[in-house]
Structures are given as structure tokens and as C-alpha cells.
Amino acid sequence: RFDVVSGPEEAEYNKQRYLDAIPEQMRLVFLSQWWGVDGFKLDAQRTVHETIAEIKELGVGPNWSYLHNALANTKPTTTMQEYGKQWMSADAGWIGTPDQIADMMEEEHHALGANGGFMITSRSGYPDGLARFVQEVVPILQARGLYKTEYEGKTMRENLCIY
């Protein structure tokens, strides 16, 4: 994921807007995929410690390392809702100005052997986030020789070698 921003203030604003758009129950459902339990049945107002104690008692959570990690990294008063929000606010991957994102992509490109491309998704939404990436980051990558400026074929099929 990426977020093209003009500076730290915009990055924080976009992060908060992203988090505010996520329905409360969805945070628990998202968290449940790591814990191995049904997120729809989790109580958002219960503490993480109470919830994990119940999961242990029932023996229903197959992903114990995530549960132990949650216990180690929360206070006894941290609610499930608070913890779910923390998990959903994980770093967008590449957050920065167009030059900073191009730098990160170039570093990653060379670190991985310069043998492929990137799958990208915008944290700040579509179509605006993707349009900003295309308009502001792609030209930098092209100037560095990391992104094509021309294609040999006239169609996508020809350029992807699909026959």
C-alpha cells in the first residue's frame, strides 16, 4: 500500500480518515483472521486480556502466537476496539512525498534483484490516490529508468506477451 502526501500533516490526516472510514465491527473481524476466531462474536468493549482468557478457556484460538503477542503488547485495560484499531492502522507501506516513495520503491527494486514490478494499492482511496501516484510518482520512476515510457506493442496483450 502507498500514500502519496505532501508532508507529515497530510500523512496523519489521511491515516485518520482511513481509520474513521472502517466500521467498528470490521476492526474485530479483521483482527479475527489473525487470531483464528469469529470476529462477529467478539465484544468490542471487553478488554483484550479478558477476551483472550475466554478464548484460552474455550480452547478455540488456533493462532496462539498472535494471542500471546496481543497480551504482551497491551495493557490490561486495552479494549478489543482499541486493539483492533491499532491493527488496522498498521503502516501503509510507503508513505511520503513522491520523491520519498520513488526512493523507497527504487531501494526495494534493487534489494529484490531488479527482476520484477510492484503490485500497488492506495490507502487514500480510488481513483484519487492512484491518480496521484500515476501523476506524481511514475514520472520520477521513469526519469530514473525504472518505469517504461514507451511500449513496443499497440495492445496490452502484445505488451504482456499473452498470445
Side-chain angles (χ1 to χ4, degrees), residues 45-144:
Q45 301 313 313
R46 288 188 75 198
T47 69
V48 171
H49 290 242
E50 291 170 330
T51 303
I52 291 175
E54 182 180 351
I55 290 170
K56 284 184 174 184
E57 190 176 300
L58 296 172
V60 295
N63 296 328
W64 295 110
S65 62
Y66 288 104
L67 296 170
H68 291 298
N69 183 48
L71 287 173
N73 292 298
T74 58
K75 298 175 187 173
T77 57
T78 303
T79 66
M80 289 297 297
Q81 189 61 45
E82 293 166 336
Y83 190 65
K85 188 173 184 177
Q86 289 172 6
W87 266 78
M88 293 298 287
S89 66
D91 192 325
W94 295 316
I95 302 172
T97 64
D99 283 313
Q100 290 171 328
I101 290 179
D103 291 344
M104 290 181 258
M105 291 182 80
E106 182 173 11
E107 182 180 325
E108 190 80 8
H109 174 70
H110 292 299
L112 296 173
N115 63 354
F118 292 96
M119 291 181 65
I120 59 171
T121 185
S122 170
R123 181 179 75 170
S124 19
Y126 292 97
D128 296 339
L130 187 57
R132 189 166 182 186
F133 179 85
V134 170
Q135 294 164 358
E136 298 180 33
V137 178
V138 169
I140 297 168
L141 296 173
Q142 288 174 325
R144 295 179 185 186

Side-chain angles (χ1 to χ4, degrees), residues 138-139 141-153 158-161:
V138 169
L141 296 173
Q142 288 174 325
R144 295 179 185 186
L146 298 170
Y147 198 97
K148 290 182 179 186
T149 57
E150 295 181 13
Y151 293 88
E152 293 178 24
E158 290 170 341
N159 288 306
L160 293 175
C161 303

